[in-house]
Amino acid sequence: MSLATLDTSQHPNLPASSATLFAAKASKKLSFEQIAQHIGRNEVAVAALFYGQAKASPEDIVKLSELFGIDHALLEDQLTGFPDRGKSVEMPPKEPLIYRLYEIVQNYGYAYKAVLNEKFGDGIMSAISFSTKVEKETDADGNNWAVITLRGKWLPFSRF
Amino acid sequence: MSLATLDTSQHPNLPASSATLFAAKASKKLSFEQIAQHIGRNEVAVAALFYGQAKASPEDIVKLSELFGIDHALLEDQLTGFPDRGKSVEMPPKEPLIYRLYEIVQNYGYAYKAVLNEKFGDGIMSAISFSTKVEKETDADGNNWAVITLRGKWLPFSRF
Amino acid sequence: MSLATLDTSQHPNLPASSATLFAAKASKKLSFEQIAQHIGRNEVAVAALFYGQAKASPEDIVKLSELFGIDHALLEDQLTGFPDRGKSVEMPPKEPLIYRLYEIVQNYGYAYKAVLNEKFGDGIMSAISFSTKVEKETDADGNNWAVITLRGKWLPFSRF
Amino acid sequence: MSLATLDTSQHPNLPASSATLFAAKASKKLSFEQIAQHIGRNEVAVAALFYGQAKASPEDIVKLSELFGIDHALLEDQLTGFPDRGKSVEMPPKEPLIYRLYEIVQNYGYAYKAVLNEKFGDGIMSAISFSTKVEKETDADGNNWAVITLRGKWLPFSRF
Amino acid sequence: MSLATLDTSQHPNLPASSATLFAAKASKKLSFEQIAQHIGRNEVAVAALFYGQAKASPEDIVKLSELFGIDHALLEDQLTGFPDRGKSVEMPPKEPLIYRLYEIVQNYGYAYKAVLNEKFGDGIMSAISFSTKVEKETDADGNNWAVITLRGKWLPFSRF
Amino acid sequence: MSLATLDTSQHPNLPASSATLFAAKASKKLSFEQIAQHIGRNEVAVAALFYGQAKASPEDIVKLSELFGIDHALLEDQLTGFPDRGKSVEMPPKEPLIYRLYEIVQNYGYAYKAVLNEKFGDGIMSAISFSTKVEKETDADGNNWAVITLRGKWLPFSRF
Amino acid sequence: MSLATLDTSQHPNLPASSATLFAAKASKKLSFEQIAQHIGRNEVAVAALFYGQAKASPEDIVKLSELFGIDHALLEDQLTGFPDRGKSVEMPPKEPLIYRLYEIVQNYGYAYKAVLNEKFGDGIMSAISFSTKVEKETDADGNNWAVITLRGKWLPFSRF
Amino acid sequence: MSLATLDTSQHPNLPASSATLFAAKASKKLSFEQIAQHIGRNEVAVAALFYGQAKASPEDIVKLSELFGIDHALLEDQLTGFPDRGKSVEMPPKEPLIYRLYEIVQNYGYAYKAVLNEKFGDGIMSAISFSTKVEKETDADGNNWAVITLRGKWLPFSRF
Amino acid sequence: MSLATLDTSQHPNLPASSATLFAAKASKKLSFEQIAQHIGRNEVAVAALFYGQAKASPEDIVKLSELFGIDHALLEDQLTGFPDRGKSVEMPPKEPLIYRLYEIVQNYGYAYKAVLNEKFGDGIMSAISFSTKVEKETDADGNNWAVITLRGKWLPFSRF
Amino acid sequence: MSLATLDTSQHPNLPASSATLFAAKASKKLSFEQIAQHIGRNEVAVAALFYGQAKASPEDIVKLSELFGIDHALLEDQLTGFPDRGKSVEMPPKEPLIYRLYEIVQNYGYAYKAVLNEKFGDGIMSAISFSTKVEKETDADGNNWAVITLRGKWLPFSRF
């Protein structure tokens, strides 16, 4: 099985921590699932952390430092600030896998809005008070299916 | 409870069927959930059909015609072609609810890719051989949560 | 004193309610402050409602119908759906007054982020669970100052 | 509590002073609130100065040099010119916190314009003869609220 | 001599007043210089008013109504609101004459900034507290030269 | 008084001569006005030359070399080619001072065109056979005003 | 032989004169070469006039009116203003023939600049004091070649 | 007379050969006309080759190596591949000289199309089976005129 | 089986002939394959003709007129000019089927270039002297495969 | 015959493997056809692999390592991750050869969609479960023709 790696020449605007963490991951040959089990978070959250899109807690930093044998002070220095999110994906995405997700928003955006509005009223599904997960299903014919779940708090528009 | 409606001056590029169907829906005061139950499809798929983003089967046309009392020939004329998808949402989306979905792709795009690649190999989650649904959860504190599930067939890149 | 009006040829994508409401406002020669007092909402919220960017409650519709002498059924028909927000301002804004607000985001965006993150942690200020107001101050030299207050709930990023 | 830091690989177009100041801030572990108290300016202005979006006075340079133990000549060399504003935030902003501010402009832009025009006449709120501040409020339920105040001089359009 | 006219199919987003005024101007065969003399304003301001980029005072409306024989109530109705500026020129401009002005900003923008900063300090030249004029000069060789003067109040950035 | 300086990390696409000249200017603490007097050109032209937007004559190179004590051969090597204009300002400009000039074109573009066409006929004001200057005025109330003059040859469209 | 026609649904932003002239041309079945001979101008200039990109002289209007049997007053009304150039071609051009011209600029732009600068010095080839023509050549093998000649006055940058 | 040079900081995406060739050209103080005579090609083609927009034949490489005293193996290594065209000019061009050519396409694009279609039928003028040249003319009044000739094979659309 | 139809509200910039032809096709319930057989052209070419992207010969017009019972003069009037190609597809395409073709260019563009250059030398595959076809294959497992063939004349870059 | 090479200054965002592989290819003077024969894949797939657009299997890595004499561990390190596709071609493509492919999508996109929908129903041709090849044909007149075949699995839209 192949592991996800990072080629920094393709991602010049990721934070320094991304290079550190992906190099360690490649060296230890660990999957995000394995890392997630070690630090007790969802694997998507861990991958987001590696791409600089999620914040590491002090405990995360300790555990990552132990797991990968990275100097704790270096990792703390690189991970202690607040993520500067949004720089990893060029929009519209050119990467085919990510484009499919973008296309789902493009095609079903108003359908989601109409159904959510009718179910919840005037508001939005939060992308902040939010979690997500990825699951794998295999059907009777042996076909694999990816299942992505998005779960966000419903925020009604304030009346003022 | 309010129902989702369509103001055609805000959506000049939707197909003629959108105006027909939304006008009937407003007149009959039916939610997408109710329509979905009537025609036996998921409510997101029904909303997508109303926005011109999903194809109606001949049976769908019959049932919609009956439910709304629209002349069958008119509806068949407007719905019998192939959807010209992608014209409903301006990208990047300016609508706040739809933007949150876009932002999820922007922030978690590479995390999804990394996790999916490690789980399934080199490929994509299909947005065509695909279904989706919206659910409502209420937690112990009375907060509402929206849960969107995306389920797509895994397509490995062909080796050639 | 002049009143804000709407020239629909300059705003072809606003909802039908915008034309109805602005025409009534011009006819009755009422300011947003006066309308706001009548319906018991903030004047910015009222203006947003006129531009199709905020939802009217059933009581708002009754009061607006009474104030302007618009047929209640017509107004209900035009205002009962969910706002399709974001279509009123072209971004980047070409209108000088609106551009100044955009420029504040452009110039102070990261300063706000840094200060908010240090005060509140990793999260965002909600633009949904949110209210805003406009005030006028006159200093000792007779200069007028506009004061815009933005107040949003702090939403911490979920850990998952 | 975490402090705001700067990862220069994510901000290649900031001035040299940004790297100098953020490195010193991280080393001294000072918040913008603490730095602001030291030099007698608002914390948003200080953060803007760190991002190259506000000008330092000679006194600011002296105080920053003292506070951080940075060579005065170096700091003067890097801060003595005129800020080349606007390069820090990519527009539309991809960063979620900054996007929410952008969205407020997008959704309420014409509402602000209408209300301001009716209150002040034909003109704009200056973003130059301007100050801003950030405050934290906690409501009875323990929820935190961010309050951003924008205060700009009203500039009427000249008649000519 | 030819007069400037308006072809509304080329400018679908101008306000209704533009069509009214330009039609009257064509009918009366008046130049902007002549109209300006009649209402006592600069001809550039008058042309801006015709394109919906400047506000008419009540006196302007009276004088324009008289000069062109347009019903006063109609003109007041069309001109009494606040201009929604910025919609007339597509940027970057495709029109060659307007492009040359854009090119001057593009080529000399930083030179103006540097010279203005050194002369006035940290701030901007206002485009609101601002006037402009156009003059014609003919040199000894019979060549014509256009001279455009921009005069704006200097606004220093507030220290806060 | 502060002097305009150049931070090359903010302007990675300027020619090598810009770094050389701005470093010398900072070292000698000379304003563009002083440099302009020395070499006998307008200060805007000199600033444009520093930003790589105007050509230096052999005499300019000699005088700049003398004034700043830069090796003549180096300066000749860097300045002897033809300027590759237009790379200094990002359009639309994000810098507030430069944006104001852009906004003048955006708001008054068609007004200038209409007035110029009526005064001169069908043609353009040249931005090549062109000069410009910046002046400072102080009014009776002590307010400063910036005056920018644009003077370009009128070029009529050829008839063919 | 086919003649060039205009489908106004494909060109909604051309001036009213374009529809008038192209309809007359189609009715009279005349080529641009024939029209050009009649009014004594180059056929490219005539086609530009038809697309609203060149000004008609009073004599042109008389001759076009005669040739096509169009009411002189109507044509004068539609053609007497100043062309609002640049709206006919969407850039980058999607039309294959026009794209090839665009591609020539894209590929050879700097080569033209380098050669012109070395031949003429620092300046530009005018697109205003300019004429152009199209010719057809057939080589010995029977292949046809299109030859487009661009002839513009050289304008040296002013020294100031 | 000045010679065209290359400042690589302004053109970071040109091939390595561009830096090599322009450095040699500056060192030998040769114009494109002189180089063209030496290698027997048109000077525009030679300049295009220097900017990486045209392919060098083996004979060109030998002659350039001899003329400039560049090691033949180095030049062969840098020039032997296939040009990756189109990266030299940013579109729309910001450089004034190149913009004028772009403007000619923008203004006369449909006029060229109409005239070419009437002369040749349905097809395009090739930009591949294509040559171009630049000439200098001086008229009786001493004005210089640049004449650019574009000559491309006519390609009719295939019928299938 | 469903037939491809045209909803003109989704395609406002197609030529008038598109509405005529698609309405006739829907009325006669003919597929492009059937129409192609009738007029003796490839079905992709026929569909392109319906979308205004290919030219009809006089014989095509006669046959289409006969097949659909459309008045010959009307069809000749609408189809006799030269196609104004490129307006049918918005780029990047939002339609999922068309996007996949775009993605193939995006992902394999340089691979095609490298292989074509090595096989044919420096040049391009013509999109004008070009034909294309679509075929359907069904494999042993009953899966359907679409096969699109692109065949274009190789055009070597001219040496000049 | 020339071989395709890579100038990394023109492609700064390709993965590290691209530089390694193209350098080896240039050194061994092998065409993609020769490499393809060695590793048993189609030459377009091999070129895509070189540009970082296709995944190498472990066997591919062994064979490439042997063929080029590259250290196996280095190649495995650079090629073992998942391709981050889509970064090689700038869209719209500026490269003429790649632009022609883009133009085919632009011109024939809806024609392909209509024909495919009529042949296969509502769905898309996969670009993932996909292969492609390039062939060379020479006609009786000695003209060369490039033939590109695209073969993708048909994916019907799921009904849900």
Side-chain angles (χ1 to χ4, degrees), chain G residues 8-118:
Chain G
T8 53
S9 70
Q10 296 197 291
H11 288 276
N13 291 124
L14 292 185
S17 57
S18 295
T20 304
L21 290 168
F22 270 103
K25 176 178 185 296
S27 167
K28 295 284 179 182
K29 296 192 190 306
L30 293 173
S31 69
F32 281 118
E33 191 176 0
Q34 291 168 316
I35 303 168
Q37 285 167 347
H38 184 84
I39 68 171
R41 295 186 69 172
N42 179 283
E43 63 194 318
V44 180
V46 173
L49 192 160
F50 272 54
Y51 280 104
Q53 309 297 310
K55 187 157 173 45
S57 70
E59 295 71 29
D60 294 339
I61 297 173
V62 169
K63 287 186 180 164
L64 289 167
S65 167
E66 288 170 0
L67 179 62
F68 291 123
I70 308 173
D71 176 61
H72 181 267
L74 170 69
L75 212 52
E76 190 176 45
D77 184 51
Q78 293 185 340
L79 285 175
T80 202
F82 297 97
D84 194 352
R85 290 170 173 90
K87 291 181 189 288
S88 59
V89 181
E90 178 186 9
M91 300 295 267
K94 300 179 101 177
E95 220 292 323
L97 183 147
I98 302 174
Y99 184 82
R100 298 308 179 275
L101 301 175
Y102 174 92
E103 188 177 86
I104 290 166
V105 176
Q106 188 171 252
N107 287 2
Y108 296 99
Y110 273 105
Y112 286 131
K113 174 173 161 60
V115 168
L116 286 164
N117 281 165
E118 292 195 343

Side-chain angles (χ1 to χ4, degrees), chain A residues 35-100:
Chain A
I35 303 169
Q37 286 168 345
H38 185 84
I39 69 170
R41 295 186 68 171
N42 180 283
E43 65 196 315
V44 179
V46 172
L49 192 160
F50 272 56
Y51 280 105
Q53 307 298 311
K55 186 154 171 50
S57 69
E59 295 70 31
D60 293 340
I61 297 174
V62 168
K63 287 185 181 163
L64 289 167
S65 167
E66 287 170 2
L67 179 64
F68 291 124
I70 308 173
D71 178 60
H72 180 267
L74 170 69
L75 212 52
E76 189 176 47
D77 184 52
Q78 291 184 343
L79 286 175
T80 205
F82 297 96
D84 195 353
R85 291 170 173 91
K87 289 180 188 290
S88 59
V89 181
E90 179 186 9
M91 298 295 267
K94 303 180 99 175
E95 221 292 323
L97 182 148
I98 302 175
Y99 183 82
R100 297 307 179 274

